[in-house]
Amino acid sequence: MTSIRNWLTIIRLVPIVIFISCLTNHQILAQRGGRAGSYDFMTNKAMEEKLSDLRSAYNGREYEESYQIYRNLYHSHYSNVSESDKMLILDWGIRLSFITEHWQDLDRYIYEYYSLDPYFSSSSLKESSPQLKTYISNFVRAKSERYVYVNKHKQNVDLLPASIAVYTKDDIERLGARNLLDLIRITPGFAELGDNNERIIGTRGTSSTSLQDILILINGHRISDVFTNSNAPDWISLDYVEQVELMRGPGSALYGENAFSGVINIITKDGRYRNTNSLNVDVGNGNSLRSISSPYNTYHLNYQYGRKLSNNESVFISASYYTSGGTEIDHSKEKRKTVLPDVKTIDAGNSTIYDTLRFADMNGREYINRYSPGYNLLMNYNRQALKITSNAQSSSYVYQRPSSLNLWEYDSQDNRRLRTRKDSREFVHLEYDFFDKSDRINHDLRLKLGGDHFHKDIYFPTFSTGINGNQRVLGDEFRGTASIEFSSDSLMNRFDAIPNQHLLIGVETYVNHWHYNYFQANDSTFILAETGDFFTEDNESKFEYVGAGYFQIEQHLLPDLFIATTGVRINYHSIYSTFNEFEWGRQYSPRFALIFLAPKNKHDLHVFKAKLLYNSAFFPPPFLYRRGGIFGFEGSNSLTVQEIESGELVLGGDLTDQFSYTASAYVNKIDNIIERVYISSLERDIYINAPKALRHAGVEFEVRHLAEFTRFTVSSYANYSLATQNQFNDTKEHTYFDLFNSKNFTGGDSLAYYPGRMANFGFNLTTNGFSSNDDEMGNQKSKPRISIGSNLQWIGSSRVKSTYSYNENTELTNHDLEGIKVSTLPPALVVDARFKVCFRKFNLGASVYNLTNTIYYLPNVSFATRRQNAEGRMIMFNFTYLFNVI
C-alpha cells in the first residue's frame, strides 16, 4: 500500500513539473528573438508595399487589377511569412477571387485557410457578403463535416456506427448548460433518474436500477470506478470542455465492460489554436432569497489559462471551485405529500406492527442537489506526438433526506457534513504517437498509459436521528491502464481491390486494487465505529484484472457512398470472463454497420444518410453489488453480467439550408439485467439477475434549425423519445431474432422506473457583434453581442411499483399488507431561460432553471416510495472576464 501511495504522489507531481518546463521553454523562446516563423525586415516592408497598392485598387473598385496585384503578392511572399500573415494574405485572396469569380482559386484559398485555422468560418474574414458567407459555409461543411473521437480515432460523424449527439463549447454556451447532466436532460434517449446516494442517468429505458451503465470518458480515458461504477454526471465540469459526444447504444466492441447502454466522450480544450486567460464567476440562489450565506446559495468560480508555446507545443489549465445550497422545496406548499414518518417494524407472530418513532414533518423544507465545497483541476499538455491529460477533482453531494423519506430533525452544520457522499478522483493519461509528423508513413501507432486514484467517503443514513443503523464506507481504489493502438487510412490502399479503408487494432489491460472499510453506528449518535472489512474474505485478493484485444475495419465499398464497419473485442476479466467458455456477451462483443451517404458537393448539401447498426455490450456487477457487506446492499456472488444486443436504423440529412433532421428506431434484447427486489423472508431488498430476458424498443427524432442573417443568428431544436419494454414469456435462452416474434412476450408495455416519453424544445437568438467605422485614432469600435434563449423539457409519466400510495388527503400511506401496487408519476414541463451580453473583454448573463418552479418526481428504486423530488427553481448570474483578447 505504501508503494502505491508513493507512486500516486509522483504521478500528481508530473503535471506541475511539465507545466514549469512549458513556461521555461516559452521564456527561452521569447528571449531568442520573438515568435516562431518570423521573417526579416525587408520581406515585411515589401509585403506592406504590395498590400498598400492592393488596398488602393480595391477601394477604387478596380477588382481585376487588385486580383493581379494579389496573385503577385501570393506567389512572392506567401511561403516565407508567418501563419498570421498567411491568414491575412488568404483573407484578401478569398474576397477578391469571389468577386472576380475565379472559383478554382477561391476553393484553394479557402482550403488553405482552413488548414491553418481549424475554426475557420466566414466570420474569420475582415469582410464578407451574404453570398460569400453561404459559399464558405457550404464549402467547409463539404470539406470537413463534424468530427468525433468516441470511436478511438478522429472520424466524420456520418461514418460513426452508432447514434450520437455532439455539443461543442459554443453549443454549451448557447444552451446555458451548467454541467454534463444539463446536456443529458435535453438529449433524445437520455433521462435523469433518482437515487439515494448520488445522481444517476439512464438511456433508452435500460437503467431501471441504480446502476450506472453508461461509460464516461475524458479524452478517451475511462473515469468510472469499480466499487459502484459511479460516473458522477453532475460534477463533471463543462468549463474545460471543447466537445461532448453522447453516443446512444452499446459500446463494448471498443471499450469493453461498462459501455452497456451508451458512451459519453468529453474532449477537453487545449492551447494549440488560441490563447486563453479568463476568469468566470457564477452566483446563484435556489428559490430562497433569505440569506447570501453559502448554505443557501451557489458559487462557481473557474480560471482558465491556455498558451501556444510554439508551433508544436501548448499547455492548457482549468481550475474550478464549486459549492451549492441547492434548490428549496417547501413541503407545506406541496399538493402531494411525500414526507413519511420514521417507523420501526415489530414482528408479532403472524402479523407486523409498525411503531412510529417520529411523525412526518409536513411543514419542513429541504434542499435538492446541495453540494459542499468541491474542486476540479485539469491540465492538458501537447508537444508534437506527446499528449498528457491530468485531472483532479472532488465533490461532496449532500443528501436531501434519508431513506425513510422523513426530514432531518436536526439542522446543524455538523450533521449536514456527515450526511454526504464524498468522491475524490485523480488521473493522469499519457498518449504518444510513434508515427506522428512522419511524411513517409500515413499511420498512427499510439501508446496510452494511465493511472487513477479514487477516494470514497459514503454515508448511508438509514433514518433521521436518534435511531440505530446509520453506516459509512470509507476507502481507496487504484487503477493502472496500458494500451497500444495501431490505426491506418492507407495500409491496404496499395491494393486496388481494397481502397479507402480505415483499420484499427489495439490491445488493452488494466488492473484495479481496492481497500475499503465499513463503519456502523452503535448508538443513537452520528459517531460511527469501525467494524472491519466486510467486502473480502480472508486471504482473498483485492485485485481485479482486465485484458482485451480489439479490431475494427471501416471499408468504403463505394467511396464516400456505401461504407461497412466490422469490429469485435475479445475480453478477459479475472472474475467474469476467464475463457472457461467462449460465449457472446463475455468473451467477445461484436459490432456491424452498413452506412449509406447520398452524393453531395459544396453547392448542394441537401443529402440523405442512413445507418443500419448492430452493437453488443456486457456489464459486470459493480464491486459493492457482488460483495455486499452493507445493510441495504446485500451482495451476491451469484450475480452475473448483464448482456445486451442492439439493432438500430438511423436516418438523417438536410431538409433545406437551414433545417436538418435525425430519426432512429431501435430494438434491444437484454439478458440478466440486474434489478432490485424485496425478499420477504429476508425482510430487505437485494439485487438479483432477472430470470427473464427483456425486449426494449423505441424511436427518437430530432430536428435542428440554423439561420444566419446580417445582424443576428437564430438556432433551435426539437426532439422526441419513446421507450417501451416487454418481458419474455419464459426463462429460456433466446436469439436476437426472437425479438420480432410477438408470441414470445407477455402483455403490454412493462417499462417501469423510467419515463416512457420525453420531448425537448429550445431556441437561441444571438446578435452578431459587428464593427463600425474606425474612430479618429484608427481603432475599431464594436457593439456587444446579445444572446437570449430558452429550453423546454417535457418529461412523460413513469410507472413505479411500491407498497405506498396516496390517500384522500394526498398523503403517502403504506399498504404493505396489501402488497406491491403499480402507480404513476405524473408528467412535468420544465422551462429554462437565459440572457447574456458579451463585450470585448467581459460577459454578463443570467439564467433561470425550472423557471415556473415545477414540482415533479424522479423514479427511484432505492426509496421505499419509489419516487424522489426533482430540482426546483435555480437562479444563476454569470460574469466572465477575459484578461487578454486574442
Side-chain angles (χ1 to χ4, degrees):
M1 178 63 68
T2 302
S3 60
I4 294 177
R5 288 176 177 167
N6 293 336
W7 171 80
L8 182 61
T9 302
I10 294 172
I11 288 180
R12 288 174 175 172
L13 293 174
V14 169
I16 300 174
V17 174
I18 293 174
F19 177 55
I20 294 174
S21 174
C22 293
L23 293 181
T24 304
N25 290 341
H26 180 57
Q27 293 172 354
I28 293 173
L29 180 64
Q31 294 171 357
R32 289 180 177 177
R35 57 184 173 85
S38 61
Y39 46 94
D40 58 38
F41 175 78
M42 295 302 296
T43 301
N44 187 19
K45 183 178 180 180
M47 176 179 165
E48 286 297 329
E49 289 176 353
K50 291 182 180 179
L51 281 174
S52 178
D53 295 338
L54 191 156
R55 292 190 192 99
S56 298
Y58 180 83
N59 293 334
R61 297 180 182 272
E62 298 172 353
Y63 298 124
E64 285 293 342
E65 182 179 350
S66 299
Y67 189 64
Q68 293 304 318
I69 297 174
Y70 169 79
R71 295 187 65 177
N72 180 269
L73 169 67
Y74 178 86
H75 290 296
S76 59
H77 293 287
Y78 181 81
S79 60
N80 301 319
V81 299
S82 65
E83 285 187 5
S84 59
D85 285 338
K86 284 182 178 179
M87 287 188 278
L88 174 63
I89 293 174
L90 292 172
D91 186 315
W92 279 106
I94 292 170
R95 287 183 282 145
L96 288 171
S97 59
F98 181 80
I99 294 173
T100 56
E101 299 184 347
H102 290 82
W103 306 117
Q104 187 173 0
D105 289 347
L106 173 62
D107 290 351
R108 185 177 76 255
Y109 297 146
I110 293 175
Y111 184 78
E112 288 181 3
Y113 203 134
Y114 176 77
S115 299
L116 294 174
D117 179 10
Y119 301 99
F120 170 72
S121 66
S122 58
S123 61
S124 303
L125 303 181
K126 185 176 180 181
E127 299 175 8
S128 60
S129 64
Q131 294 83 1
L132 179 57
K133 285 183 177 180
T134 301
Y135 188 96
I136 291 176
S137 297
N138 286 344
F139 184 94
V140 171
R141 289 180 62 193
K143 280 291 184 183
S144 61
E145 301 291 343
R146 176 171 285 186
Y147 286 101
V148 294
Y149 300 83
V150 71
N151 214 23
K152 287 187 177 284
H153 70 288
K154 183 179 180 181
Q155 184 179 35
N156 187 317
V157 68
D158 291 340
L159 303 181
L160 183 74
S163 292
I164 193 169
V166 182
Y167 299 97
T168 65
K169 63 179 185 298
D170 294 330
D171 296 328
I172 293 170
E173 181 181 355
R174 283 195 297 267
L175 294 168
R178 296 164 294 176
N179 50 47
L180 180 60
L181 196 53
D182 279 348
L183 292 180
I184 289 170
R185 286 191 184 109
I186 63 174
T187 302
F190 286 89
E192 180 185 7
L193 307 176
D195 186 75
N196 278 12
N197 304 300
E198 59 186 326
R199 300 175 69 184
I200 67 170
I201 56 177
T203 179
R204 294 181 169 178
T206 60
S207 292
S208 58
T209 73
S210 59
L211 291 174
Q212 293 273 306
D213 58 14
I214 299 172
L215 178 64
I216 299 183
L217 312 164
I218 295 181
N219 289 343
H221 181 89
R222 65 177 68 233
I223 64 171
S224 57
D225 59 74
V226 170
F227 187 71
T228 58
N229 196 47
S230 299
N231 288 319
D234 52 316
W235 52 286
I236 293 178
S237 172
L238 293 180
D239 299 314
Y240 51 68
V241 169
E242 181 71 32
Q243 180 167 288
V244 178
E245 304 162 1
L246 293 95
M247 189 186 82
R248 303 182 292 276
S252 287
L254 285 181
Y255 292 104
E257 68 273 15
N258 306 126
F260 185 78
S261 62
V263 178
I264 299 176
N265 188 33
I266 297 170
I267 306 300
T268 64
K269 299 176 183 177
D270 58 42
R272 286 180 294 176
Y273 301 118
R274 60 185 65 183
N275 294 336
T276 304
N277 191 4
S278 65
L279 175 67
N280 181 81
V281 178
D282 293 296
V283 179
N285 189 284
N287 202 33
S288 171
L289 302 176
R290 73 169 66 95
S291 172
I292 62 172
S293 62
S294 57
Y296 298 100
N297 292 276
T298 296
Y299 302 96
H300 172 227
L301 290 80
N302 173 254
Y303 173 73
Q304 294 184 23
Y305 177 86
R307 179 66 59 180
K308 182 177 180 179
L309 304 177
S310 68
N311 286 338
N312 55 24
E313 187 177 18
S314 67
V315 66
F316 173 83
I317 295 174
S318 172
S320 298
Y321 167 87
Y322 180 71
T323 183
S324 177
T327 61
E328 183 180 88
I329 301 293
D330 188 343
H331 288 275
S332 65
K333 298 179 181 179
E334 282 198 55
K335 295 180 180 179
R336 293 173 177 258
K337 307 300 183 182
T338 58
V339 185
L340 297 176
D342 286 331
V343 297
K344 181 169 63 175
T345 61
I346 301 174
D347 189 3
N350 296 327
S351 62
T352 301
I353 300 175
Y354 295 95
D355 183 15
T356 300
L357 300 173
R358 186 164 74 88
F359 290 99
D361 184 357
M362 295 295 187
N363 295 318
R365 293 185 177 96
E366 68 171 307
Y367 297 88
I368 309 297
N369 299 338
R370 171 175 278 184
Y371 296 87
S372 297
Y375 63 85
N376 197 321
L377 308 174
L378 179 129
M379 191 206 75
N380 268 343
Y381 175 73
N382 292 270
R383 184 171 185 177
Q384 293 182 333
L386 176 66
K387 298 179 181 179
I388 298 177
T389 301
S390 178
N391 181 230
Q393 65 183 86
S394 178
S395 177
S396 298
Y397 180 61
V398 182
Y399 305 131
Q400 57 250 37
R401 282 189 279 170
S403 301
S404 67
L405 290 186
N406 206 342
L407 297 179
W408 292 104
E409 182 175 350
Y410 297 123
D411 198 36
S412 70
Q413 288 303 305
D414 290 337
N415 285 341
R416 284 184 189 279
R417 293 190 188 98
L418 287 172
R419 299 189 298 274
T420 59
R421 175 194 175 106
K422 297 181 180 179
D423 285 271
S424 299
R425 186 196 69 227
E426 302 93 25
F427 78 81
V428 174
H429 178 79
L430 181 150
E431 184 175 325
Y432 186 84
D433 185 358
F434 292 96
F435 294 157
D436 189 60
K437 305 298 182 182
S438 174
D439 297 328
R440 296 178 292 104
I441 303 176
N442 188 24
H443 313 309
D444 286 331
L445 181 61
R446 298 181 183 273
L447 173 66
K448 300 179 181 180
L449 301 174
D452 298 77
H453 167 242
F454 304 91
H455 175 77
K456 293 187 178 298
D457 186 352
I458 308 175
Y459 187 78
F460 296 92
T462 307
F463 294 103
S464 298
T465 185
I467 300 173
N468 296 345
N470 296 297
Q471 50 193 323
R472 181 181 183 184
V473 173
L474 183 67
D476 297 272
E477 184 179 320
F478 302 90
R479 179 168 64 223
T481 306
S483 67
I484 188 165
E485 296 174 353
F486 172 80
S487 62
S488 174
D489 289 317
S490 60
L491 184 65
M492 305 299 292
N493 284 358
R494 67 186 67 182
F495 304 106
D496 294 336
I498 314 178
N500 300 318
Q501 180 189 81
H502 179 84
L503 174 67
L504 172 69
I505 302 175
V507 292
E508 178 184 29
T509 183
Y510 58 87
V511 56
N512 280 82
H513 171 72
W514 57 80
H515 181 76
Y516 292 107
N517 283 320
Y518 174 57
F519 300 76
Q520 189 172 17
N522 293 327
D523 52 35
S524 61
T525 69
F526 284 93
I527 300 174
L528 305 182
E530 182 175 355
T531 58
D533 178 4
F534 284 81
F535 305 111
T536 53
E537 302 292 338
D538 293 339
N539 300 320
E540 184 181 10
S541 173
K542 295 184 178 182
F543 288 86
E544 183 173 292
Y545 304 93
V546 174
Y550 49 89
F551 81 91
Q552 181 171 275
I553 298 176
E554 177 188 299
Q555 178 65 57
H556 288 238
L557 304 177
L558 295 175
D560 298 324
L561 184 66
F562 197 61
I563 302 97
T565 298
T566 303
V568 67
R569 179 179 172 113
I570 308 299
N571 307 295
Y572 170 82
H573 191 286
S574 58
I575 299 175
Y576 292 104
S577 178
T578 57
F579 294 108
N580 293 330
E581 298 180 72
F582 194 75
E583 57 181 340
W584 174 91
R586 297 191 186 189
Q587 278 73 25
Y588 69 98
S589 302
R591 85 182 327 173
F592 306 100
L594 293 175
I595 300 173
F596 171 77
L597 303 176
K600 59 182 177 179
N601 56 62
K602 60 179 175 290
H603 303 289
D604 182 12
L605 292 173
H606 305 162
V607 299
F608 170 75
K609 297 170 281 189
K611 300 179 182 180
L612 186 62
L613 310 172
Y614 171 86
N615 284 292
S616 63
F618 69 103
F619 182 81
F623 173 81
L624 182 58
Y625 286 68
R626 63 180 188 255
R627 297 287 178 155
I630 298 177
F631 176 79
F633 284 81
E634 300 299 326
S636 173
N637 289 327
S638 63
L639 280 179
T640 187
V641 298
Q642 293 183 170
E643 301 169 355
I644 184 172
E645 293 180 83
S646 176
E648 185 174 359
L649 175 64
V650 183
L651 306 176
D654 298 314
L655 300 173
T656 67
D657 287 335
Q658 300 179 355
F659 287 92
S660 61
Y661 73 93
T662 302
S664 61
Y666 62 88
V667 181
N668 300 338
K669 183 174 78 75
I670 304 174
D671 294 285
N672 305 322
I673 191 168
I674 298 173
E675 61 181 9
R676 181 169 176 149
V677 297
Y678 179 77
I679 304 298
S680 57
S681 60
L682 299 177
E683 296 184 352
R684 58 178 177 264
D685 291 336
I686 66 170
Y687 289 93
I688 65 168
N689 291 106
K692 296 182 180 181
L694 299 176
R695 176 188 187 269
H696 281 256
V699 295
E700 297 156 0
F701 181 76
E702 183 167 42
V703 176
R704 291 190 172 270
H705 169 257
L706 177 64
E708 295 181 343
F709 302 94
T710 304
R711 298 294 181 88
F712 61 90
T713 299
V714 178
S715 61
S716 62
Y717 69 91
N719 60 58
Y720 174 79
S721 305
L722 168 67
T724 63
Q725 175 183 285
N726 299 99
Q727 190 177 57
F728 276 80
N729 291 326
D730 52 56
T731 59
K732 298 178 181 178
E733 291 189 7
H734 290 272
T735 67
Y736 179 76
F737 296 101
D738 290 338
L739 293 173
F740 303 97
N741 186 349
S742 60
K743 296 181 180 180
N744 292 321
F745 311 110
T746 58
D749 183 12
S750 61
L751 184 65
Y753 308 113
Y754 194 97
R757 291 172 174 80
M758 291 177 290
N760 297 282
F761 170 77
F763 78 92
N764 193 87
L765 186 149
T766 303
T767 62
N768 299 329
F770 58 93
S771 299
S772 58
N773 296 329
D774 294 351
D775 59 21
E776 295 180 356
M777 301 298 295
N779 299 318
Q780 279 194 333
K781 297 181 292 184
S782 61
K783 294 185 177 180
R785 178 166 53 90
I786 301 174
S787 177
I788 60 173
S790 179
N791 300 330
L792 287 79
Q793 182 185 18
W794 179 79
I795 306 168
S797 59
S798 303
R799 286 192 290 265
V800 297
K801 303 174 183 179
S802 74
T803 60
Y804 289 84
S805 63
Y806 286 102
N807 59 21
E808 63 275 6
N809 297 321
T810 65
E811 296 176 346
L812 276 173
T813 58
N814 191 347
H815 49 78
D816 185 47
L817 300 180
E818 302 175 27
I820 295 176
K821 295 183 179 180
V822 177
S823 58
T824 301
L825 304 185
L829 179 65
V830 183
V831 180
D832 302 336
R834 57 194 175 274
F835 173 80
K836 195 168 190 178
V837 182
C838 302
F839 297 91
R840 186 171 182 270
K841 292 187 73 68
F842 64 91
N843 307 328
L844 298 172
S847 302
V848 182
Y849 303 88
N850 196 349
L851 178 66
T852 59
N853 200 28
T854 299
I855 296 177
Y856 66 104
Y857 306 100
L858 302 174
N860 184 336
V861 299
S862 299
F863 276 8
T865 63
R866 305 303 193 233
R867 72 198 72 208
Q868 174 184 336
N869 281 95
E871 186 176 49
R873 182 187 293 129
M874 175 67 78
I875 304 169
M876 299 291 292
F877 299 96
N878 170 264
F879 173 81
T880 303
Y881 183 78
L882 307 177
F883 292 99
N884 60 341
V885 179
I886 304 300

